């Protein structure tokens, strides 16, 4: 097998893994939609974007791009401490509105909006 063929086989395997959406089986008539990981950064004392809209099944990844410690606390999730250059990820399977904040910095807040089809 050539290096190019090996790379193509690896990519196909990765696509199959990320495309299955975990344990939930899609109905046969539904077109498969690959789940995504979408990033929120933390420049200084805010979340960017402040409102992030994703699809059900996607993962939000908060990456601390500042020089100080932050966290991400919502009603059903809590990152604990996120040091500079570290990330916290959470997958959202249920459509809805998920406000969150950093408990260290008053006013540092955001919301994840999860849609069935975003
Ligand atoms: Cu903070």
């Amino acid at each position: 097998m050539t290096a190019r063929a090996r790379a193509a086989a690896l990519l196909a395997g990765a696509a199959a893994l990320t495309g299955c959406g975990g344990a939930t089986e899609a109905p046969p008539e539904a077109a498969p939609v690959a789940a995504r990981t979408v990033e929120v950064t933390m420049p200084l004392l805010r979340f960017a974007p402040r409102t992030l809209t994703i699809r059900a099944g996607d993962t939000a990844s908060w990456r601390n791009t500042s020089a100080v410690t932050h966290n991400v606390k919502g009603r059903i999730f809590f990152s604990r401490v996120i040091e500079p250059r570290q990330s916290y990820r959470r997958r959202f399977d249920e459509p809805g509105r998920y406000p969150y904040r950093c408990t260290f910095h008053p006013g540092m807040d955001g919301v994840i909006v999860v849609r069935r089809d975003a």
Side-chain angles (χ1 to χ4, degrees):
M1 188 185 274
T2 65
R4 180 177 292 218
R6 260 199 311 278
L10 279 173
L11 280 174
L17 281 176
T18 55
C20 76
T24 48
E25 295 263 52
E29 70 273 15
V33 178
R36 303 169 300 175
T37 296
V38 187
E39 190 167 84
V40 178
T41 60
M42 304 174 205
L44 303 175
L45 302 182
R46 64 189 175 90
F47 293 106
R50 192 173 185 189
T51 300
L52 175 68
T53 301
I54 58 176
R55 288 190 300 250
D58 285 349
T59 296
S61 175
W62 287 265
R63 188 160 58 92
N64 187 350
T65 50
S66 76
V68 298
T69 297
H70 296 293
N71 65 20
V72 171
K73 190 176 197 315
R75 253 178 358 108
I76 59 167
F77 56 95
F78 182 30
S79 66
R80 312 284 171 191
V81 167
I82 309 173
E83 299 289 353
R85 297 190 306 279
Q86 293 195 331
S87 293
Y88 165 70
R89 289 163 172 254
R90 190 187 196 284
R91 181 174 147 162
F92 291 85
D93 287 323
E94 291 300 317
R97 213 181 134 75
Y98 299 87
Y100 64 88
R101 63 196 170 92
C102 170
T103 63
F104 302 135
H105 303 112
M108 183 175 176
D109 55 38
V111 60
I112 304 292
V113 177
V114 181
R115 296 213 174 121
R116 185 61 69 191
D117 292 297

